[in-house]
Amino acid sequence: SPPPHFSHLMCIPFNTHTSSTHPSTTSVKGEHLRLCPQDYTCCSSQMEEMLSHQSETDFLTAIEETSQFLLTTFTQRHRKFDEFFRELIDMSEKSMNQMFTKTYGRLFTQNANVFQELFVELRRYYSGGSVSLTEVQSEFWSSLVERVFSLVNPQYQFSEEYLECVSKHAEQLQPFGDLPRKLRVQVSRAFIAARALVQGLATGRDIVNKAIKLSAGVECVRALMRQWYCPLCRGMPSLRPCHSLCLNVMKGCLANQADLDTEWNNFIDALYQVSEKLEGPFNMELAADSISVKVSEAIMHMQENSVTTSTKVFQGCGSPRPALGRSKRSPKEPGSNRRPFRTYSPEEKPTTAAGTNLDRLVSELKERLRPMRGFWVSLPHTICNDENMAADVTNEERCWNGQARGRYLPDVTGDGLVSQINNPEVEVDIAKPDVRTRQLIMELRVATNRLKQAQAGQDTDFVDSEVEEGSGSGGGDGAERYSDDWPGYGPNSKPPRNPQTPIKPPRVRDRPTGSKRNKARSSSAVTRPALTLAILFWLSVMVVVAPMWR
């Protein structure tokens, strides 16, 4: 509602011989006024003080109502996206359990904890936990290869140490083909973008809440009183302040908020771009569906290639012990390569969250983000364009110019704190930036950086590990991993490595320690003859060892 200018009251002259709180029949000289022009007036000192407080209330109410669009959008969109993404994860797990139980029976239920742990970690990541998606998926495939390897070789008994050897060399053997890499790209990019968007919407809501919880300074309140209620004290309650006068007052009162504009626009742009990624190459719906599909396909791939994989494992890890009560058979013999797993048909694929649609959610969000750009700079204009707050810009001759009815002559000042040095209506100390505004600017920068990292498929908390992992495994480099092509193929992508050519070292847990790295550095200082001998020595070792994994 507009500020109460008391336009429904007639300004009854003030009589010094009566009570100061009741209007009388004669006007008086306004020498007692501190804010309004000291001409004849109908306002007492108490009335001026009361109207001064009222002007501050009107100002804060106008700020709150004008920003309600921002708060409503961020609050409602955060809730809708959060509910939708959580439901997608739940549906993905539920569909996997239903399909795998129907297809695999006890073989799945006996190993269900491997899949349950995957979804526990995915939920923990989405909820803001310190979780590496790369490490989570790596552990999942390591556990799965141990279980499936045991199932396709039921005639043998494997110790924990033996299965550890199997998983240790899984990346070299690629028993699941290229499917783990494809799923890692899809899931990582989608979950990173989904979490960043939801966190970004929550950050936007919190920043708006903080930015509008301002208190008008003394000089601001004086200016507000002069433009809104001094006409009342002059007996012209319906006279509105000139549009330019209103702008100068608002720009002075909202100078710090205007300084948010640059970082605010960057933040809104980043939110917009992440939302576009989610409806395109980082689609969360497709990623959630892909978990069950690609895991099933991966198991099928290992089944079909179990003889070749098992032979390589037996050569590298040693011959396993026959299982008790079973005849010792070669994995090549008929019957040993049975297929306890199968892929399910397309009509059995999981469905998305009921009653919702990601494209619709993103489209609605983008429509609401567009008008948010420049909000803080345009806030004075938004308020002054309200006919209840100021006169129309075309009504320059019949408006309140701060002293009387007439044209307002001073120029309109610029935006932001520094520009208020020559503001004719509000005295602003430009040497004292608002601490809370500086904090909000930093919060916006941090949030924007997280969103920009998400656009590149990177999690800010694990940028180093993600980049290292993405550039050294699974047959993909950074350009391929963050390509916009779905599901992760681009013109710069590398073909999958031949599983018969093991060139990647063991997993992260087996990487050299710091002392070993230091020794490696010091060895670079050896003389050229010594280096040549070392190369010849390792080549001879590789010639002997390589056949074990072929």
Side-chain angles (χ1 to χ4, degrees):
S1 60
H5 288 284
F6 301 101
S7 58
H8 62 286
L9 298 177
M10 292 300 294
C11 185
I12 302 177
F14 172 68
N15 191 331
T16 56
H17 300 290
T18 60
S19 171
S20 61
T21 58
H22 294 84
S24 184
T25 58
T26 59
S27 60
V28 297
K29 193 71 173 172
E31 296 175 349
H32 58 282
L33 299 180
R34 296 185 303 108
L35 302 178
C36 295
Q38 295 182 340
D39 294 324
Y40 284 96
T41 181
C42 61
C43 287
S44 65
S45 297
Q46 291 88 340
M47 290 179 64
E48 187 184 44
E49 182 70 19
M50 179 194 69
L51 293 174
S52 179
H53 290 301
Q54 184 63 49
S55 66
E56 180 179 11
T57 300
D58 296 340
F59 169 69
L60 298 179
T61 301
I63 300 301
E64 183 176 346
E65 292 180 350
T66 305
S67 61
Q68 194 60 45
F69 170 76
L70 299 182
L71 283 176
T72 301
T73 296
F74 283 120
T75 301
Q76 292 182 351
R77 295 301 107 184
H78 172 267
R79 184 182 70 252
K80 286 183 177 293
F81 273 100
D82 186 51
E83 291 175 351
F84 178 72
F85 289 143
R86 290 183 185 276
E87 188 176 359
L88 276 182
I89 299 172
D90 292 343
M91 291 294 294
S92 179
E93 182 178 26
K94 181 179 178 181
S95 297
M96 172 176 279
N97 290 337
Q98 290 176 343
M99 294 301 103
F100 279 35
T101 298
K102 176 182 176 181
T103 303
Y104 310 145
R106 292 179 63 244
L107 290 176
F108 171 70
T109 57
Q110 291 173 350
N111 298 279
N113 63 308
V114 175
F115 303 90
Q116 292 170 356
E117 182 64 22
L118 171 64
F119 282 95
V120 166
E121 291 301 305
L122 290 178
R123 285 192 185 89
R124 193 158 71 91
Y125 172 83
Y126 173 77
S127 300
S130 181
V131 177
S132 169
L133 288 173
T134 298
E135 186 64 24
V136 165
Q137 295 180 79
S138 177
E139 290 299 324
F140 166 74
W141 290 109
S142 294
S143 299
L144 188 61
V145 73
E146 295 177 7
R147 306 298 177 93
V148 177
F149 185 78
S150 298
L151 291 174
V152 298
N153 292 283
Q155 69 274 27
Y156 296 108
Q157 180 179 353
F158 302 104
S159 64
E160 291 185 6
E161 291 77 11
Y162 195 97
L163 293 177
E164 174 68 17
C165 178
V166 175
S167 64
K168 182 178 181 180
H169 296 89
E171 292 182 70
Q172 295 171 304
L173 298 173
Q174 289 191 324
F176 299 120
D178 198 35
L179 290 162
R181 185 194 64 83
K182 292 180 179 178
L183 185 62
R184 169 178 54 78
V185 171
Q186 290 185 11
V187 169
S188 295
R189 297 196 303 186
F191 270 76
I192 289 171
R195 186 174 83 161
L197 179 66
V198 172
Q199 289 179 343
L201 292 173
T203 299
R205 175 199 62 204
D206 296 340
I207 286 178
V208 173
N209 260 322
K210 295 175 184 176
I212 65 176
K213 294 294 188 297
L214 69 162
S215 58
V218 175
E219 292 300 324
C220 173
V221 173
R222 292 170 63 91
L224 292 170
M225 169 64 190
R226 285 196 298 266
Q227 75 161 354
W228 278 339
Y229 290 115
C230 284
L232 172 66
C233 293
R234 289 295 306 277
M236 299 176 286
S238 62
L239 195 62
R240 297 289 181 264
C242 296
H243 192 265
S244 296
L245 167 64
C246 178
L247 285 179
N248 275 337
V249 172
M250 291 303 163
K251 289 193 175 190
C253 291
L254 297 170
N256 287 294
Q257 280 67 28
D259 283 344
L260 294 173
D261 190 63
T262 299
E263 295 302 331
W264 174 260
N265 289 341
N266 292 337
F267 171 69
I268 296 299
D269 290 344
L271 274 176
Y272 192 96
Q273 291 159 8
V274 168
S275 65
E276 283 190 320
K277 289 281 189 178
L278 274 168
E279 68 177 349
F282 295 4
N283 193 295
M284 184 67 169
E285 285 180 316
L286 295 179
D289 286 351
S290 294
I291 296 176
S292 296
V293 176
K294 283 189 167 50
V295 169
S296 182
E297 291 176 354
I299 294 172
M300 188 66 185
H301 184 277
M302 185 169 179
Q303 273 292 114
E304 294 173 345
N305 298 275
S306 61
V307 174
T308 302
T309 301
S310 298
T311 300
K312 293 178 181 179
V313 171
F314 296 157
Q315 291 176 349
C317 296
S319 300
R321 293 183 300 172
L324 297 179
R326 294 180 180 270
S327 60
K328 183 176 182 181
R329 296 179 296 179
S330 167
K332 296 182 179 181
E333 294 179 10
S336 64
N337 190 24
R338 60 190 182 87
R339 295 163 64 171
F341 297 100
R342 70 171 176 85
T343 56
Y344 48 83
S345 59
E347 58 269 17
E348 296 174 318
K349 287 179 62 176
T351 58
T352 57
T356 54
N357 180 277
L358 182 58
D359 290 341
R360 182 166 60 250
L361 286 176
V362 171
S363 178
E364 292 173 352
L365 175 62
K366 291 195 298 185
E367 285 298 316
R368 286 164 172 77
L369 287 176
R370 288 190 183 98
M372 290 185 183
R373 294 192 88 259
F375 173 82
W376 302 106
V377 163
S378 63
L379 186 55
H381 296 271
T382 303
I383 295 175
C384 294
N385 285 339
D386 187 336
E387 62 179 8
N388 295 298
M389 299 294 185
D392 187 81
V393 66
T394 61
N395 188 12
E396 297 181 352
E397 302 295 339
R398 298 184 305 277
C399 57
W400 175 256
N401 63 15
Q403 298 293 326
R405 184 198 305 266
R407 179 184 293 270
Y408 181 76
L409 299 179
D411 294 330
V412 176
T413 189
D415 302 312
L417 185 63
V418 176
S419 299
Q420 306 313 307
I421 187 171
N422 294 318
N423 191 313
E425 304 302 328
V426 186
E427 184 177 341
V428 181
D429 187 354
I430 65 172
K432 292 183 179 179
D434 182 60
V435 174
R436 188 171 61 171
T437 301
R438 303 304 112 181
Q439 292 173 342
L440 293 179
I441 289 175
M442 291 305 301
E443 290 181 29
L444 284 170
R445 287 175 179 169
V446 171
T448 301
N449 181 60
R450 285 184 172 274
L451 290 166
K452 287 183 177 179
Q453 293 286 354
Q455 293 172 40
Q458 297 177 341
D459 182 3
T460 305
D461 296 331
F462 296 94
V463 169
D464 293 338
S465 61
E466 294 287 342
V467 171
E468 181 180 0
E469 195 280 336
S471 61
S473 67
D477 58 10
E480 176 273 331
R481 185 169 187 261
Y482 307 125
S483 168
D484 281 352
D485 299 320
W486 181 263
Y489 301 115
N492 299 321
S493 61
K494 299 177 183 178
R497 290 187 178 125
N498 188 339
Q500 296 184 0
T501 309
I503 59 178
K504 185 181 177 180
R507 293 192 316 219
V508 176
R509 62 188 176 193
D510 299 307
R511 288 176 180 171
T513 60
S515 60
K516 292 182 179 179
R517 291 195 184 101
N518 292 334
K519 291 180 181 179
R521 293 193 190 99
S522 63
S523 65
S524 63
V526 298
T527 60
R528 186 174 300 276
L531 181 60
T532 303
L533 290 174
I535 294 175
L536 293 174
F537 171 76
W538 285 111
L539 286 175
S540 64
V541 172
M542 291 176 64
V543 170
V544 175
V545 176
M548 297 178 63
W549 288 102
R550 289 179 180 168

